[in-house]
Amino acid sequence: MKSRVEELQNISGQEFDLCVIGGGATGSACALDAQLRGIRTVLLEAGDFAGATSSAATKIIHGGVRYLEEAIKDVDPKEYHVVVRALHERVRMLDNAPHLTRKLEFLVPSFHWLDVAYLDIGLKIYDWLAGSARISPSKFVSREETLRRMPQLNRDGLLGSVEYADGQFDDARYNLALVHTFEHQGGQALNHCRVTEFQRDSAGRLSGVVAVDQIGGATLNLSARAIVNATGPVSDLIRQMATPSVSKRMRLSKGSHILFPLDLFPTDDAMLIPKTEAGSVLFAVPWGGRLLVGTTEREVEPGDDLYVTEEEITYLLRQLNKYLAKPLQPSDVVAGFAGARPLASAGEGFRKLWEFRSANLRQERTFFMAEKDSRATSGRS
Ligand SMILES: Cc1cc2nc3c(=O)[nH]c(=O)nc-3n(C[C@H](O)[C@H](O)[C@H](O)COP(=O)(O)OP(=O)(O)OC[C@H]3O[C@@H](n4cnc5c(N)ncnc54)[C@H](O)[C@@H]3O)c2cc1C
């Protein structure tokens, strides 16, 4: 492990093929990928690695049951391909980091046979799309078995549940593992180092960055042949730093989670509530001896405070308590956290709120590259 002084020396004044700005999941994975391809890469993070959105997730490795529903309803082949790809990536994550991931069974409690049929068909398609990457087949679970696995569920009218499998991961540690692997492969990574300016060559093209060490206060200059903007929620600020005239293309959707002691809802499985008042899904997931419940969706601006509000706690409890035999109270909440989904708006104009989630899945594979000719371009995959 290199010391901070060594890291600073290895970076300052050096020439790199690639500079990645932002040490969240996107930037760290991007830096590792580049380094593995023999591209000499430096990764700069303003705060701590995984300190922003990448430690505020629901921690589910999913293909996206909800996105599949949207793909089918919208007859959207692009959306469909995103789900198929994510289903395959899911298994890679489970295989690559068994110490930071696990298979997780989800139960969707059902109170109407029509719901059972709808879910059963949808999840069979999910299984089918996963093909060889299927974790385990979805199935109907009887009322008795459902209550054995989730004894605190509301029994009134409960028919049983539909079960499917996805994964769970430790988002922050997974991100750190990417950074460690990147360094192990010879990459240079520095946290608490904020990029504040771009350097330009005589033709005005981006040729490097100026960054400020947030601990010692030193200013670093480094050259880079290409620069990746992986700053998530603040991507527009970096894009505009490269090209002031570009219009914004990020929308931020705040998502809040709350946590309860797991003995208030003892379970090894996760629960999916398929439709909340807001029309989205809600998860209740066992996580580190707690029950993690989330999430909300509310549009915010870069720089807005990301803390869990009382209103959000009330909303989450109202959705959850419909499914519980004994309602949980605000006083049962032991912790909470919120993050901003950095969503890239697609094309002209902004898409409606219900489209945020599908855009979210896309943005996880999207980064903005500030090209050498300083025309910031965007890409999605
Ligand atoms: C509520 C919620 C629930 C989610 N649930 C899931 C889930 O269950 N499963 C899943 O797979 N995904 C989930 N996601 C999505 C996932 O968390 C994000 O896709 C991912 O974390 C985005 O990572 P990122 O690297 O793009 O952004 P970030 O993690 O925000 O990283 C950007 C980094 O850039 C840095 N930065 C900014 N400006 C500068 C600068 N000038 N110089 C240097 N560094 C800078 C920031 O400090 C930050 O660390 C969820 C997201 C939210 C908000």
Side-chain angles (χ1 to χ4, degrees):
M1 193 80 184
K2 284 168 254 168
S3 71
R4 187 167 180 83
V5 173
E6 280 174 300
E7 292 281 13
L8 284 164
Q9 280 166 356
N10 288 341
I11 289 171
S12 188
Q14 300 295 309
E15 277 185 28
F16 293 90
D17 295 326
L18 182 69
C19 172
V20 178
I21 313 174
T26 309
S28 305
C30 189
L32 173 59
D33 188 288
Q35 189 67 32
L36 287 171
R37 290 167 200 268
I39 298 169
R40 190 165 179 245
T41 304
V42 60
L43 173 65
L44 301 178
E45 163 55 48
D48 210 348
F49 299 117
T53 321
S54 298
S55 51
T58 315
K59 297 148 202 335
I60 297 170
I61 311 172
H62 54 166
V65 173
R66 176 74 191 283
Y67 311 131
L68 176 62
E69 189 184 13
E70 285 169 6
I72 294 171
K73 279 186 185 159
D74 298 352
V75 198
D76 184 345
K78 286 187 202 141
E79 203 69 59
Y80 158 88
H81 286 299
V82 170
V83 174
V84 174
R85 201 166 142 200
L87 280 166
H88 286 80
E89 284 292 325
R90 186 181 67 163
V91 175
R92 284 204 190 96
M93 283 181 74
L94 289 165
D95 286 348
N96 283 347
H99 59 305
L100 300 175
T101 63
R102 71 167 178 130
K103 171 186 154 184
L104 186 61
E105 307 286 4
F106 289 73
L107 298 184
V108 191
S110 302
F111 298 85
H112 300 285
W113 286 114
L114 266 180
D115 289 345
V116 173
Y118 183 76
L119 285 163
D120 198 40
I121 293 169
L123 290 167
K124 285 281 175 297
I125 298 175
Y126 196 63
D127 288 346
W128 176 71
L129 289 179
S132 58
R134 192 179 73 180
I135 296 178
S136 58
S138 59
K139 60 177 189 229
F140 178 71
V141 177
S142 69
R143 173 186 156 91
E144 291 67 34
E145 173 71 1
T146 301
L147 287 171
R148 190 189 62 72
R149 289 163 67 176
M150 290 185 178
Q152 298 301 325
L153 270 183
N154 182 358
R155 290 158 189 250
D156 289 348
L158 181 73
L159 299 172
S161 58
V162 181
E163 177 190 300
Y164 73 98
D166 260 333
Q168 183 174 42
F169 73 125
D170 186 325
D171 50 359
R173 286 186 63 204
Y174 199 100
N175 193 151
L176 292 178
L178 290 172
V179 177
H180 280 305
T181 314
F182 166 68
E183 286 207 305
H184 193 68
Q185 294 299 321
Q188 304 292 334
L190 194 64
N191 56 358
H192 302 290
C193 183
R194 179 177 294 280
V195 172
T196 53
E197 265 177 75
F198 286 116
Q199 293 177 355
R200 293 177 191 271
D201 63 16
S202 53
R205 295 174 300 195
L206 301 189
S207 58
V209 304
V210 179
V212 176
D213 174 12
Q214 304 293 291
I215 295 175
T219 299
L220 283 70
N221 289 277
L222 61 91
S223 308
R225 297 172 62 196
I227 299 165
V228 167
N229 174 4
T231 54
V234 297
S235 296
D236 278 335
L237 299 180
I238 301 292
R239 289 175 65 233
Q240 288 179 332
M241 201 159 89
T243 314
S245 58
V246 294
S247 54
K248 291 186 180 173
R249 31 172 329 187
M250 299 304 292
R251 283 184 90 174
L252 307 187
S253 167
K254 177 187 169 196
S256 289
H257 297 89
I258 50 178
L259 294 99
F260 301 91
L262 194 53
D263 53 13
L264 295 180
F265 190 84
T267 183
D268 289 331
D269 304 307
M271 173 166 67
L272 167 70
I273 296 177
K275 197 156 193 170
T276 61
E277 284 165 20
S280 55
V281 296
L282 190 81
F283 292 100
V285 185
W287 170 252
R290 306 287 190 208
L291 185 74
L292 171 64
V293 177
T295 168
T296 55
E297 286 184 23
R298 202 180 54 131
E299 191 164 359
V300 288
E301 294 294 325
D304 281 359
D305 283 335
L306 293 175
Y307 53 81
V308 182
T309 64
E310 270 186 46
E311 190 192 334
E312 287 167 332
I313 294 176
T314 309
Y315 168 82
L316 289 170
L317 278 171
R318 199 164 63 240
Q319 312 313 309
L320 180 69
N321 282 339
K322 289 177 194 164
Y323 284 77
L324 304 191
K326 185 168 172 251
L328 296 178
Q329 305 300 322
S331 56
D332 295 324
V333 176
V334 289
F337 61 88
R341 300 177 185 88
L343 310 179
S345 78
E348 288 170 25
F350 288 138
R351 304 175 80 182
K352 291 178 289 181
L353 187 66
W354 66 269
E355 286 176 302
F356 273 16
R357 282 177 171 271
S358 42
N360 185 36
L361 193 69
R362 283 196 290 276
Q363 75 74 31
E364 283 161 29
R365 292 162 190 78
T366 302
F367 55 82
F368 299 99
M369 183 170 277
E371 289 183 326
K372 272 181 73 185
D373 66 0
S374 90
R375 285 186 310 242
T377 58
S378 66
R380 54 154 292 195
S381 54

